[in-house]
Amino acid sequence: DPAIIYDLGGKFDKSFNEAAFNGAKKWAEETGGTFKELEMQSEAQREQALRQLAESGANPIVMTGFAFGDTLNTVAPDFPDTKFAIIDMVVEQPNVKSVVFTEHEGSYLVGMMAALASKTGTVGFIGGMDIPLIRRFGCGYAEGVKAVNPDATVVLNMTGTTPAAWNDPVKGAELAKAQKSQGADVIYAAAGGTGIGVLQAAADEGILSIGVDSNQNHLHPGKVLTSMTKRVDNAVYNAFNDGEAMTAGLTVMDLKADGVGYAMDDNNAALVTDEMKAKVEEAAAKIKSGELKVHDYMSDNTCPAATF
Amino acid sequence: MDYATFLQIFDTTLRLATPLLFACLAGLYSERAGVFDIGLEGKMLMAAMASGAVAALSGSVWIGLMAGIVGSLAFALVHGIASITFRGNQLISGVALNFVASGITVLIAQDLFGQGGRTPPLEGGARMLEITLPLAETLRPVPVIGPLYADVISGHPILVYVGLLLVPATWWLLYRTRFGLRLRAVGENPASVDTAGVSVKRLRFSAVLIAGVLCGLAGAYMATGLQAGFGREMTAGRGYIALAALIFAKWRPWHALWACLLFGFFQSLALRPDVMQAVGIKIPGPALDALPYILTVVVLAGLVGKAVPPRAGGEPYVKER
Amino acid sequence: MMGAHDTGRQASAAPFAIELKGISKAFGPVQANKDISIQVAKGSIHGIIGENGAGKSTLMSILYGFYKADAGEILINGRPTTIPDSQSAIRAGIGMVFQHFKLVQNFTVLENIILGAEDGPMLATSLGKARKVLADLAREYELDVDPDALVEDLSVGHQQRVEILKALYRQAEILILDEPTGVLTPAEADHLFRILRGLKDQGKTIILITHKLREIMEITDTVSVMRRGQMTATVKTAETNPEQLAELMVGRKVLLHVEKQPANPGRTVLEVENLRVVDEQGVERLKGISLSIRAGEILGIAGVAGNGQSELLEVLGGLTRGTGVVRMNGKTLDLTGRHSDGQSRRADGIAHVPEDRQVLGLIMDFTAWENVAFGYHHAPEYQKNGLLMDNEAIRRDTEAKMATFDVRPPIPTLAAKNFSGGNQQKIVVAREIERNPDLLLVGQPTRGVDIGAIEFIHKQIVALRDAGKAVLLISVELDEIMSLSDRIAVMFDGRIMGERDPATTNERELGLLMAGVSEGAA
Amino acid sequence: MMDKLPKWADILLVPLISLLLAALVSALVLLAIGQSPMQALTVMVNGAIVSPYGWGYTLYYATSFIFTGLAVSVAYHAGLFNIGAEGQAQLGGLGVALACLFLPWPHWSLALVGAMVGAALFGAAWAAIPAWLQAKRGSHIVITTIMFNYIAAAVLIYLLVEVLRPAGQMDPASARFPATTSLPQFQDIPGLQSLFLRYAADGTVRLNAEGLPLYQKVPANVTFFLAILACVGVWVMLWHTRLGYMIRAFGKSEKAARYAGISAVKITMTVMLISGALAGLMAINNVMGQSERLLQNSAEGAGFIGIAVALMGRNHPVGVFLAAILFGFLYQGGAALGLETAIPIELRTVVQGLVILFTGALDQMVRMMLGWAFRARRTV
Ligand SMILES: Nc1ncnc2c1ncn2[C@@H]1O[C@H](COP(=O)(O)OP(=O)(O)OP(=O)(O)O)[C@@H](O)[C@H]1O
Ligand SMILES: Nc1ncnc2c1ncn2[C@@H]1O[C@H](COP(=O)(O)OP(=O)(O)OP(=O)(O)O)[C@@H](O)[C@H]1O
Ligand SMILES: [Mg+2]
Ligand SMILES: [Mg+2]
C-alpha cells in the first residue's frame, strides 16, 4: 500500500496538507485501494514516522513538506526497495522523487487579482513560517500586484519562525486585523492552518482574502477573492498511481503543467469581473510561453518587488 | 507609531487579555481558598473543546457556553475530590489534569468530527458575536476619545465585558461579603474557619467550582469568541500565563486585571514585529513570548516586592494527624 | 473521690453545665481518651491537669466538636447534646481558646471576631455591630484590644484576648481554655485570672487546662486529674493540696529525687558573654545573656516557657544566629558566619538534645539506625572506602545503643515514628550522650516520658556530669531543675534574673524570679 | 483513621492498583469514543514488544524516561518538586549540540564523554536559577521551573532560528553532527546485531547494494546502558553516601535538618544541580543517539513523563527503571496505535495524565480502598 505523512498543521488544515489528503482520497476512491497515513505532532517524530511506515511495508511513501528533507536523506538509504516522494524539497537519493512547485507564478496571478480588486491600493500578505519558500510566495505576489498598480502598497507579515507558525489561527486573525487597520482590503494568506484565522478575520471585517494551496473559496463564500492553488493533490495522486514503479528524480510542477494556478468557482464568481479575469489570463499565457518571467526568490534570495 | 496602530494594538490586547483574565480570576478564587491550581490550562482547554463542539453541533453559542462550563466543572470537581476530599497533592493533581485534558480533548473532537481533533469552523449563531456599545458610531468623530471608544472599548464579544465586570465583582465579593471573608480565611488558616463552625471542605469546594466556571468562560471565549472553533492545544499555555499573572498580581483582583492586560499587551506586541521595528526596538519574537514568564520569575525572586501566597495554600487541611 | 458518686443529689438541684459520660477517642493506635466521665457545675471554674499527652486537649476538642468521639455521651445543662462540629458547640454555648490559637494572622481583630458569626451576607453590617459589642465587652471584662489592629501585630497575650472575645462574642456560657498561661508572662497571667474571675461572677462556666499546680490552687473550684487517657480523679480544690494532685497525676508518690554526689567542678568549659538573639520578626529574644559552665557541673535554667530558654539552646546549638561572645573550651565560636551551624558545634564538642524531639531531634520517617547517625553522619566510624556511608556499622552501633538505653523494641530498622515518645527520647539521648561531648545542651529531657524512663535519663545526665562533662539543662519542670542542677539560673524576658544554689533556694524564691521580680524587690 | 498498609502493599500494590485504575478509565474513554480497548491493547503490545524493532523503540523511549524520572525523583527526595525537567532536557540538548558541533572528536566514545559533560552542565545550569531562588528567596520551585520550561523553549527557538541553523536550511534545526560523534545503536552492537537482521519474504537475509546484510535501524543506543548506570549511581548516592543521607533528611524535615547542621541552601542547590544534570543527560539519548542534530522541542515532553515515572516508581531507582519501561511501552504502543488504528496518538497523553493523577494525587483514595480490602480479608 502507499502511504502519506502530513506535516505539522495536520491533515485538516484546509490548505497544504488537506490538498495532499484530497489527492490520496481521490486515488483511493478511483482505484478502491487503501493507504496508510500519519500526522506529525512534533519535529522529533519525523524519523520514527518514516521508518515505521517503511518497516510496515508501505510503498511508495509520500511526505508533504520541506522539513522532511534532512530526515529522508538518512532514512531513504536504509530502505533501498522503498520509493519515497517528497513535496517542496529536493532530496537526491536513488529512490526518492522530489516534487517542487513554482509558487511564485501562481502567486503572481493572485497578486494581480488582488491589485485589481483593491479599492484602497493597499493589499496584504500573511506568510506562515518565515523561510525562503514562503518568501517565494510573497515575492511573486508583490510582483503581480505591482504589475497592475505600480503605486500599490503591499503589507507583508510572517506568522513566526518555527513550524508552529503553520498552525496559529489566533495570530493569523490578529495579523489580518492589523493589516486591515493599515488599509489593506485584500489579504493573501500563505500560512497553512494559520490561514483559517486570516480568512475568518477578513470575512468578519468585511474585506477580501485569498486562499492558498487548496481551493479555499468555499470557506467564506463571496468573501474569498480566489485561491492560489498548488496542486499537491495531483502530486500525491500521481505518486500513488505510479506505485512502486515511481521514478526518482526532480519534478517541477509549474503553471504550464497546471501545477499552480488560481481558483474560480461559484463562490467567487461575483467577485471577479470578466475584465479582471482577462488581464490575469493574459499574464498567465505569457508566463506559460516564457515571455514573462516571474522572479523566483529562492534562486538568489532577493526580491525586486518587496522587502521582507 | 501612529494613533491608529496604537488603538489597534490595544484592541488586540483587550481581546487577548480576556481569556487570561478569566483564568487568572479562577486561580484567584481557588488559591485564595488555599487550593493551588496548576490545572487552569487543562480546564480552559476542556471548556474550549466542549463549547466549540457543542456550539458546532447545536448551532447555538449559548448552549456551547454552557457545555464549556460543564466540561471545565467536571475537571474542577476531580481536582476538588483529589485535593480536598482525599487530601492529595494539589500540584500533582493539577499537572495530571492538564495532561488528561490535552489528550482527551483531541480524542473527543476527533471522534465527533473526524477532522484531526478540530471542530469545524463555527458560523452564524454558533459564534459569539461582537457587540457594539451604545453611541459608538456617534462618538467616533470626537478626536482621540472617539476612536478609542469605538474601536478599542466597543466591538467585542460580550464575554470581554463580563470579564472586565468580574474584576470589581470579585473585589466586592472577597472584601465586602461574608463569603469573601470566609474564603480568604480558609486560605490563610483553615483551622480558624473550622473552629468558627464553618465547613472548610464546603468553602474550598465552592472556590474550586467557581474556578471551574470561570475557566469554562475562558475556554468558551477562546473557541467561540476569539476564534471560530476549537483546535488542538489551542489554549497554548494561557493557563500558565494566567498563573504567572496571578502571582504577578499577588493574588489581588485589581492587580490581576492590570497583570492580564500587561501580559495581553506583550502577546499583542509579539503579533506585531513590524510595529516593534517601526519604533526602532528589535526584540526577538521568542523573547517577547517569554516575557511574561521572565517577569514572573523576577516577581517571585522578590525583586519587585515580595509575593506572599495565601498561607495555607497547597496544604490539604488535616484535623487529625 | 470520683465525681460520679453523688450525681443523684446534684441532679435534683441545678443541672451540670457540662456532663461527659464514657467518652473514648483513639488516634490510630493511640488511645487518647478512655471512657472518660466528668461533671462541671454551672458558674464554676473547673481545672484539668495531667501530664503531656494525657489527653486533655483531645477531650476538650471533642467537647468543642473539633474531633468526633468514638464513644460516649455529652450533656449540656442536663440536656443530651450531639456535637458533630464546632458549629453545634457554639450553638450549645461553648467557646474554646485553643492551646494553639486559631486566628487568621493577616485579618484585623474585628474580622477575626466575626468570622463564622456574621450577621447576614454583607460584611458592613456585621462589622458595625461587632465594633459596638466589642467595646461593651472590653469595658465589662478588661479585655481591651484595638479592633482594627492586624492580629499578626499583636502580642501573644493580646491574641489570647482576641480568642476570648471571639468566644464571648458568640455568647458562650461555657468557656474552655487550653493551657492559656503557658505562653503568658506572669503579669499577663494575673490579668487573665482577673478576667476569668469576672466571667465566673457573671455566671459563666470555665474549664481551665494547665500544668501548673499553683494556678489550679489559685483559681479553680474543682479539679480533675487525667493520666494516660483516663480520668483518675475529680476533687474539690479546697479539699486537696499540690502534693496529692501531683501524686494523682503521675500515679505514685513524687518528688523525684535524683541520687547524686556533690559536684566536683573543674575548668570552665563554656563561657557566654552578652549573648543576644533577634528573631525573624525582629523581636529581641535574648537580651544579653552571660553565664559560664564548668566541667563536671550541671547548670539548670528555670523559667516560664517563652522567656528565651529555647532561643538560648538554639543559638548555642547552632540553629539560630546571634551576637555576643561564646567561648567553648577557650575557643570563640562563630555565631553568625559559615560555622554557626550544628555540624560545627558538634565538632567543637557540643551535643544537643533538643526541646522538641519530633520536630528537631528525629526524622520521624527515618529508621532508628538512620536517626542514630543523624547529625553525626560525618563521623569517621560511619564511613567506609572514603566515599560511602557504612550503613552496617551504623546499624551495629544502633543495636549497641538500644541495648544500653533499653530502647523498646530494640529493632534498628523500625521507623522512628513507630516508637513511643519515651523511646524516641531515649534514642535521641543515647545518640547525644554516647558521643561523650564536653558540653551537653539538653532541653526538656523528660517531656512526655514515663516515670521509669525519666529516672533512667536523669541518671545518664548525672553520669555524664560525673565523667567530668558540662551540662546545660533547660526544663519547665521546677522539680527536674531542682533535683538535677548543681547551680540554677532563672531566665525572664530574655535575661538571667539571678543564680541560686539548689541546696539553699526554694520553689517560692525561684517562682518570684521566674515572674520577673528582681532580687532587690524580693 | 486509615489503616496502615503493610510495606509491601504500599510499595507494590498501590502503584499497581493506580495503574489498573488508569487503564480502566482509559478503556472507558476508548469505549466512549467507540473504539475497542482490547484491540488497542493488542496493537500496542504488537507494536511495542513483540518485534525487536518495536522494543528497540520502547527501550529508546524508556532511556529518556529513566533520566527524567531519576531527575524528578532525586529532587523529590529533597522535598522539591522539579517540573522543569523538560526545559533542563532541552538545554541539555543544546549542550550536546555544542559539544558535538564545535569540538573535534576522534571517536564516538570520547565524543560521548564530552557530550555528557555538555548535557549535564547545561541541564544543571538551567536548574540552578530556580534552585537558587528557592534556596535564597523562597520562590516556589514548582512555579519557577514551569516558567523556566517556557523560557527554555524560547531560548532554543531563538538559537535554532538565528544562530545554529546552517545557511540555506529552512527548518529550525542545527547542522548534522559529524559522523565521528554517532553513537552505536542496538543494531550496531555486536551480539545484539543479529536480532535486527532484515529478512525478505522468502526468509533470506536482505542484502544491500554492496552485498552486506541490512539491519533494521532502531534508535535505542548505548545511552540505555548509561541510564542503567545512572539508576545504580542514584541508588548508591541516595542510600549509601552522606550526600544522599542529607538529601533525604532534608526532604523529610527541613527543621530537623537544620538541627543536624545540614544547610538548606547547599542541599537545595546540590540536589537541583544533580536533578538538572540528570534531566540534561537525557539529551545524549535523543539528540546524540537518535536525531544527531538539535531539533526544536527535542525533549518531546519526556520531562513531564518523568513526573509520572517518578511517582509510579515511588522515587526509587528500581521503580523508576520499571516505570520508565512501562512508559516506553506506552509511547511506542501509542505510536503504533496512531499508525494502525483510528485511535489518536493522544491516547497516551490521557493515560499518562491518569497515571499521574491516580499515583500522585489520588493515592490516599487508593490506599483507603486497599485498607478496606485488607480489613475485609482479616474479618472474613
Ligand atoms: N490529631 C491527632 N492525631 C493523632 N494523635 C493525636 C492527635 N492529637 C493528639 N494525639 C495523641 O493523643 C494523645 C493525647 O494528646 P493530647 O493533645 O490530648 O494531650 P494533652 O493532654 O493535651 O497534652 P499536652 O499537655 O502536651 O497538651 C497523645 O498521645 C497525642 O500524641
Ligand atoms: N520503591 C521501590 N520500588 C522497587 N523496589 C524497591 C523500592 N524500595 C525498595 N525496593 C527494593 O528494596 C531493596 C532495598 O531498598 P533500600 O535501598 O531502601 O534498602 P537498604 O536498607 O538501604 O539496603 P542496604 O542495606 O543495601 O543499604 C532495593 O534494592 C529494592 O530492590
Ligand atoms: Mg494539650
Ligand atoms: Mg540501601
Side-chain angles (χ1 to χ4, degrees):
Chain A
D1 286 0
I4 179 157
I5 312 180
Y6 309 103
D7 204 347
L8 301 164
K11 166 172 143 184
F12 294 103
D13 63 358
K14 307 260 179 265
S15 178
F16 179 64
N17 289 297
E18 194 158 331
F21 170 61
N22 287 333
K25 203 168 62 179
K26 181 168 151 218
W27 172 85
E29 276 160 9
E30 283 180 11
T31 64
T34 56
F35 62 93
K36 287 187 170 158
E37 55 184 354
L38 261 186
E39 287 179 75
M40 283 295 86
Q41 308 296 341
S42 90
E43 280 300 301
Q45 279 178 342
R46 293 182 197 280
E47 182 160 345
Q48 175 174 9
L50 265 180
R51 287 189 185 279
Q52 194 150 351
L53 278 176
E55 284 292 340
S56 77
N59 196 4
I61 299 171
V62 183
M63 64 218 74
T64 60
F66 66 90
F68 283 100
D70 190 80
T71 311
L72 184 58
N73 238 325
T74 68
V75 173
D78 290 338
F79 299 92
D81 302 337
T82 304
K83 291 281 167 51
F84 299 91
I86 182 166
I87 290 166
D88 276 0
M89 184 77 191
V90 182
V91 170
E92 284 164 14
Q93 295 282 351
N95 53 342
V96 174
K97 172 179 182 148
S98 309
V99 185
V100 297
F101 293 83
T102 55
E103 292 92 352
H104 46 297
E105 294 178 350
S107 298
Y108 183 91
L109 299 184
V110 299
M112 288 181 67
M113 193 83 98
L116 290 167
S118 171
K119 298 194 177 57
T120 59
T122 300
V123 298
F125 171 82
I126 295 175
M129 184 175 159
D130 189 4
I131 46 171
L133 176 69
I134 293 302
R135 292 186 174 195
R136 174 150 82 183
F137 284 79
C139 186
Y141 175 73
E143 246 184 78
V145 172
K146 296 276 162 81
V148 172
N149 176 4
D151 301 328
T153 312
V154 184
V155 186
L156 295 146
N157 287 117
M158 295 289 181
T159 314
T161 52
T162 66
W166 302 123
N167 195 13
D168 194 345
V170 176
K171 199 160 177 180
E174 291 303 331
L175 284 173
K177 286 179 183 167
Q179 294 197 343
K180 188 210 165 197
S181 76
Q182 287 163 270
D185 60 351
V186 185
I187 299 175
Y188 175 30
T194 302
I196 296 177
V198 177
L199 268 50
Q200 179 78 50
D204 289 352
E205 298 280 321
I207 58 174
L208 293 172
S209 55
I210 298 174
V212 80
D213 295 347
S214 294
N215 179 352
Q216 299 184 315
N217 297 358
H218 67 279
L219 287 179
H220 303 280
K223 291 171 176 167
V224 180
L225 178 60
T226 180
S227 300
M228 197 292 275
T229 52
K230 174 171 164 181
R231 302 309 297 265
V232 178
D233 50 345
N234 286 348
V236 174
Y237 177 82
N238 292 341
F240 276 23
N241 254 348
D242 295 348
E244 300 180 20
M246 189 171 77
T247 50
L250 177 65
T251 306
V252 178
M253 298 189 61
D254 57 10
L255 189 63
K256 195 158 60 186
D258 257 345
V260 294
Y262 64 97
M264 288 302 304
D265 58 19
D266 290 347
N267 295 312
N268 69 338
L271 299 172
V272 182
T273 62
D274 289 344
E275 185 191 349
M276 285 162 75
K277 213 171 149 191
K279 281 195 177 148
V280 175
E281 278 302 326
E282 186 194 330
K286 280 189 192 160
I287 294 173
K288 283 181 190 164
S289 69
E291 187 184 331
L292 175 64
K293 192 137 179 52
V294 182
H295 181 79
D296 176 5
Y297 180 89
M298 289 175 79
S299 63
D300 58 359
N301 279 356
T302 62
C303 181
T307 49
F308 288 97
Chain B
M1 179 171 34
D2 57 2
Y3 190 53
T5 315
F6 210 69
L7 291 183
Q8 210 270 322
I9 286 182
F10 278 118
D11 190 34
T12 310
T13 298
L14 201 54
R15 259 197 303 277
L16 294 180
T18 298
L20 298 181
L21 184 58
F22 278 120
C24 187
L25 290 176
L28 193 141
Y29 279 100
S30 185
E31 303 207 344
R32 273 294 185 137
V35 182
F36 279 170
D37 195 355
I38 299 198
L40 298 173
E41 174 84 2
K43 287 200 276 280
M44 273 167 86
L45 194 63
M46 191 62 199
M49 191 281 295
S51 59
V54 172
L57 293 175
S58 69
S60 157
V61 62
W62 306 116
I63 300 182
L65 180 68
M66 293 318 290
I69 292 176
V70 170
S72 168
L73 270 177
F75 271 59
L77 198 64
V78 175
H79 187 52
I81 289 173
S83 53
I84 304 171
T85 311
F86 289 109
R87 302 178 204 144
N89 186 318
Q90 300 169 7
L91 299 171
I92 295 180
S93 165
V95 170
L97 288 174
N98 284 344
F99 280 115
V100 174
S102 148
I104 210 162
T105 47
V106 177
L107 250 59
I108 296 176
Q110 169 67 12
D111 178 53
L112 288 177
F113 303 104
Q115 302 208 357
R118 198 179 272 156
T119 62
L122 300 179
E123 284 161 21
R127 279 198 75 200
M128 198 166 292
L129 292 182
E130 298 175 352
I131 53 177
T132 308
L133 294 185
L135 299 182
E137 289 314 311
T138 334
L139 286 176
R140 185 183 290 278
V142 179
V144 185
I145 310 273
L148 182 73
Y149 181 72
D151 291 337
V152 178
I153 314 258
S154 172
H156 292 285
I158 178 112
L159 281 187
V160 172
Y161 305 107
V162 173
L164 291 175
L165 288 177
L166 269 175
V167 174
T170 299
W171 174 85
W172 180 81
L173 193 66
L174 276 187
Y175 296 103
R176 288 290 177 266
T177 70
R178 173 173 70 189
F179 177 72
L181 184 78
R182 294 176 175 187
L183 191 84
R184 286 183 290 132
V186 84
E188 291 289 332
N189 183 359
S192 72
V193 174
D194 197 6
T195 52
V198 182
S199 161
V200 172
K201 280 190 182 174
R202 204 177 311 152
L203 264 176
R204 288 194 163 172
F205 256 109
S206 18
V208 166
L209 293 181
I210 291 176
V213 172
L214 293 180
C215 283
L217 293 177
Y221 168 77
M222 287 218 57
T224 64
L226 192 61
Q227 277 179 259
F230 167 81
R232 65 171 74 196
E233 293 290 342
M234 80 179 289
T235 46
R238 285 183 171 78
Y240 292 108
I241 298 191
L243 205 60
L246 181 61
I247 296 167
F248 202 69
K250 298 176 185 166
W251 292 269
R252 281 177 282 188
W254 282 108
H255 292 61
L257 174 64
W258 308 132
C260 290
L261 285 175
L262 181 69
F263 290 176
F265 179 69
F266 292 150
Q267 289 189 335
S268 67
L269 274 190
L271 294 178
R272 298 293 305 274
D274 55 312
V275 173
M276 302 289 292
Q277 261 157 27
V279 293
I281 311 172
K282 188 150 168 50
I283 302 181
L288 263 182
D289 290 335
L291 210 50
Y293 307 113
I294 295 172
L295 278 180
T296 303
V297 172
V298 169
V299 170
L300 279 172
L303 300 182
V304 193
K306 194 127 182 70
V308 185
R311 254 165 268 209
E315 292 295 324
Y317 176 57
V318 188
K319 238 194 236 190
E320 309 191 2
R321 261 177 286 148
Chain C
M1 214 182 286
M2 289 292 288
H5 69 124
D6 50 7
T7 348
R9 203 192 65 216
Q10 295 253 345
S12 59
F16 292 109
I18 301 166
E19 184 168 5
L20 302 179
K21 290 182 181 166
I23 299 283
S24 292
K25 171 76 182 171
F27 294 109
V30 181
Q31 190 70 41
N33 284 168
K34 252 179 284 182
D35 191 23
I36 290 186
S37 299
I38 181 179
Q39 296 158 333
V40 179
K42 215 169 153 54
S44 70
I45 299 185
H46 187 101
I48 297 185
I49 53 169
E51 291 180 292
N52 295 108
K56 308 178 293 287
S57 300
T58 305
L59 185 66
M60 291 304 114
S61 299
I62 288 171
L63 184 53
Y64 191 63
F66 200 60
Y67 294 152
K68 239 169 97 79
D70 301 336
E73 206 187 335
I74 301 174
L75 287 84
I76 304 292
N77 296 325
R79 252 173 294 114
T81 313
T82 52
I83 308 188
D85 51 26
S86 303
Q87 184 80 67
S88 322
I90 294 167
R91 238 182 281 122
I94 302 173
M96 177 149 174
V97 177
F98 284 86
Q99 199 169 351
H100 305 285
F101 301 153
K102 312 285 182 188
L103 296 172
V104 183
Q105 292 290 315
N106 57 357
F107 276 17
T108 64
V109 169
L110 216 50
E111 285 173 326
N112 266 294
I113 283 178
I114 61 168
L115 181 64
E118 306 89 344
D119 305 274
M122 296 303 125
L123 276 191
T125 40
S126 314
L127 287 171
K129 178 189 153 196
R131 191 179 294 278
K132 270 190 231 98
V133 175
L134 207 58
D136 294 343
L137 287 174
R139 219 171 314 112
E140 200 167 346
Y141 300 109
E142 288 188 71
L143 278 165
D144 312 293
V145 271
D146 173 7
D148 298 312
L150 287 181
V151 164
E152 59 197 355
D153 297 334
L154 297 180
S155 71
V156 185
H158 277 78
Q159 293 194 11
Q160 190 175 62
R161 285 188 204 172
V162 177
E163 284 284 20
I164 297 173
L165 282 169
K166 246 166 86 174
L168 296 180
Y169 184 74
R170 287 160 176 73
Q171 292 166 338
E173 286 301 312
I174 300 164
L175 188 63
I176 306 167
L177 296 109
D178 193 351
E179 289 186 39
T181 55
V183 289
L184 297 185
T185 64
E188 283 174 324
D190 286 343
H191 185 101
L192 173 69
F193 287 161
R194 272 209 304 285
I195 294 167
L196 294 186
R197 285 199 194 92
L199 287 168
K200 176 184 160 182
D201 293 343
Q202 302 280 326
K204 309 225 187 258
T205 309
I206 292 166
I207 298 184
L208 176 73
I209 299 180
T210 177
H211 284 295
K212 297 172 191 163
L213 297 177
R214 182 182 68 85
E215 292 173 356
I216 292 288
M217 299 310 295
E218 183 183 331
I219 191 168
T220 64
D221 300 312
T222 45
V223 52
S224 296
V225 184
M226 286 185 74
R227 175 150 48 93
R228 298 189 185 182
Q230 280 169 314
M231 190 64 80
T232 47
T234 298
V235 294
K236 287 211 160 51
T237 312
E239 294 168 6
T240 186
N241 56 50
E243 287 71 28
Q244 188 195 13
L245 288 178
E247 187 183 335
L248 287 167
M249 233 161 93
V250 293
R252 64 162 193 182
K253 276 247 179 273
V254 274
L255 257 178
L256 287 162
H257 184 70
V258 184
E259 289 293 327
K260 61 170 187 174
Q261 305 300 314
N264 189 8
R267 73 197 158 83
T268 300
V269 172
L270 179 80
E271 273 181 278
V272 176
E273 282 166 28
N274 195 23
L275 182 60
R276 288 170 191 273
V277 168
V278 177
D279 73 6
E280 280 165 23
Q281 277 79 44
V283 179
E284 191 167 41
R285 292 292 180 178
L286 291 187
K287 302 177 175 172
I289 297 278
S290 297
L291 55 82
S292 69
I293 311 177
R294 300 206 286 168
E297 72 167 353
I298 298 176
L299 173 66
I301 298 214
V304 179
N307 277 292
Q309 304 97 306
S310 309
E311 286 79 5
L312 179 61
L313 266 198
E314 289 185 358
V315 71
L316 291 178
L319 272 87
T320 50
R321 311 204 150 176
T323 56
V325 180
V326 176
R327 269 188 297 274
M328 176 72 196
N329 288 331
K331 177 188 166 198
T332 305
L333 299 183
D334 182 1
L335 295 182
T336 48
R338 288 191 48 230
H339 295 289
S340 63
D341 70 338
Q343 280 307 319
S344 311
R345 293 293 195 272
R346 286 182 183 85
D348 288 326
I350 301 177
H352 179 185
V353 176
E355 286 187 301
D356 191 335
R357 57 177 169 265
Q358 300 204 338
V359 173
L360 289 182
L362 293 168
I363 302 268
M364 300 304 277
D365 286 332
F366 268 14
T367 59
W369 70 265
E370 284 172 311
N371 272 303
V372 162
F374 194 51
Y376 299 98
H377 44 279
H378 291 286
E381 66 269 30
Y382 291 161
Q383 321 296 325
K384 65 178 180 197
N385 309 335
L387 210 64
L388 301 182
M389 279 182 93
D390 191 347
N391 295 344
E392 224 18 80
I394 305 175
R395 266 186 287 243
R396 274 194 311 271
D397 190 32
T398 305
E399 269 165 25
K401 289 200 163 87
M402 285 180 139
T404 326
F405 276 74
D406 188 26
V407 175
R408 273 173 283 183
I411 307 174
T413 50
L414 200 63
K417 63 180 173 206
N418 295 331
F419 286 91
S420 69
N423 282 297
Q424 288 172 354
Q425 184 71 345
K426 284 192 210 165
I427 295 176
V428 178
V429 173
R431 177 181 75 206
E432 301 301 327
I433 286 190
E434 295 270 284
R435 282 280 141 192
N436 207 16
D438 290 339
L439 170 67
L440 178 70
L441 308 173
V442 47
Q444 322 296 353
T446 55
R447 180 182 270 176
V449 172
D450 67 52
I451 303 289
I454 289 178
E455 275 180 338
F456 182 80
I457 290 172
H458 282 175
K459 274 198 194 123
Q460 297 300 319
I461 293 175
V462 172
L464 190 74
R465 176 201 79 163
D466 291 343
K469 309 295 181 179
V471 177
L472 177 67
L473 168 74
I474 284 178
S475 174
V476 288
E477 310 291 337
L478 260 189
D479 291 347
E480 188 165 41
I481 294 279
M482 300 265 290
S483 53
L484 274 181
S485 313
D486 300 314
R487 284 189 293 135
I488 299 175
V490 182
M491 271 184 81
F492 174 77
D493 191 28
R495 291 192 181 85
I496 294 205
M497 295 300 292
E499 229 182 84
R500 292 290 181 273
D501 180 350
T504 57
T505 187
N506 56 37
E507 293 208 5
R508 212 194 76 85
E509 188 185 17
L510 293 177
L512 280 174
L513 286 172
M514 284 163 67
V517 183
S518 69
E519 289 162 56
Chain D
M1 165 186 143
M2 268 160 270
D3 274 32
K4 252 187 69 68
L5 294 175
K7 193 174 174 195
W8 64 271
D10 208 59
I11 289 178
L12 286 177
L13 275 188
V14 174
L16 218 60
I17 303 274
S18 307
L19 188 68
L20 283 180
L21 284 173
L24 189 75
V25 176
S26 314
L28 291 178
V29 170
L30 281 180
L31 285 176
I33 62 169
Q35 301 283 351
S36 151
M38 268 330 284
Q39 186 214 354
L41 188 65
T42 320
V43 170
M44 287 176 77
V45 169
N46 282 334
I49 306 180
V50 172
S51 69
Y53 179 77
W55 57 254
Y57 267 96
T58 299
L59 290 186
Y60 162 70
Y61 285 124
T63 306
S64 291
F65 301 159
I66 290 173
F67 278 112
T68 54
L70 288 177
V72 176
S73 303
V74 167
Y76 206 90
H77 276 287
L80 300 167
F81 190 21
N82 178 12
I83 307 200
E86 181 77 9
Q88 291 145 18
Q90 291 212 32
L91 264 287
L94 181 62
V96 170
L98 296 180
C100 290
L101 286 172
F102 298 109
L103 296 173
W105 299 105
H107 188 261
W108 66 263
S109 53
L110 294 175
L112 176 60
V113 176
M116 282 174 69
V117 172
L121 274 183
F122 275 69
W126 205 245
I129 304 169
W132 188 85
L133 289 174
Q134 165 87 48
K136 286 283 192 188
R137 327 267 329 185
S139 327
H140 205 306
I141 198 143
V142 168
I143 307 289
T144 46
T145 48
I146 289 177
M147 300 297 144
F148 265 71
N149 283 337
Y150 281 98
I151 301 173
V155 167
L156 271 138
I157 288 175
Y158 176 78
L159 290 176
L160 285 175
V161 170
E162 306 287 340
V163 184
L164 291 173
R165 173 160 65 179
Q169 180 182 305
M170 290 198 274
D171 43 341
S174 76
R176 265 193 189 273
F177 303 157
T180 49
T181 66
S182 178
L183 295 180
Q185 295 174 318
F186 276 16
Q187 76 278 355
D188 305 323
I189 298 175
L192 285 174
Q193 206 163 29
S194 55
L195 287 173
F196 295 94
L197 277 173
R198 279 252 268 298
Y199 297 95
D202 58 2
T204 55
V205 173
R206 284 172 58 172
L207 306 175
N208 68 5
E210 288 105 65
L212 297 170
L214 277 173
Y215 296 100
Q216 290 183 323
K217 213 171 162 200
V218 294
N221 57 75
V222 288
T223 319
F224 177 68
F225 305 105
L226 284 183
I228 294 178
L229 284 181
C231 284
V232 177
V234 166
W235 177 76
V236 170
M237 191 272 284
L238 281 176
W239 282 284
H240 291 276
T241 68
R242 280 192 301 271
L243 176 64
Y245 181 89
M246 294 192 282
I247 288 172
R248 289 183 298 120
F250 177 75
K252 299 270 190 218
S253 167
E254 214 169 305
K255 274 196 180 154
R258 195 160 56 104
Y259 156 79
I262 297 169
S263 152
V265 174
K266 245 185 250 165
I267 292 295
T268 304
M269 288 304 295
T270 314
V271 109
M272 281 305 288
L273 289 179
I274 294 175
S275 176
L278 282 167
L281 280 172
M282 176 203 127
I284 299 287
N285 187 44
N286 59 342
V287 176
M288 191 177 185
Q290 206 269 127
S291 61
E292 304 192 342
R293 57 185 183 143
L294 183 60
L295 295 166
Q296 190 212 337
N297 187 22
S298 62
E300 275 194 286
F304 297 116
I305 294 160
I307 300 169
V309 166
L311 288 171
M312 181 92 211
R314 294 322 193 83
N315 296 304
H316 192 286
V318 176
V320 165
F321 179 83
L322 296 175
I325 303 273
L326 180 80
F327 271 88
F329 160 76
L330 188 63
Y331 254 59
Q332 173 55 16
L337 276 186
L339 187 65
E340 316 253 325
T341 70
I343 302 169
I345 200 166
E346 277 79 7
L347 178 67
R348 63 191 193 187
T349 319
V350 176
V351 178
Q352 177 193 341
L354 289 172
V355 168
I356 299 181
L357 185 69
F358 283 113
T359 48
L362 285 170
D363 49 336
Q364 280 312 345
M365 183 184 84
V366 175
R367 283 210 182 83
M368 253 163 83
M369 286 166 43
L370 273 175
W372 290 328
F374 273 93
R375 234 172 301 152
R377 199 188 54 177
R378 242 174 281 139
T379 49
V380 166

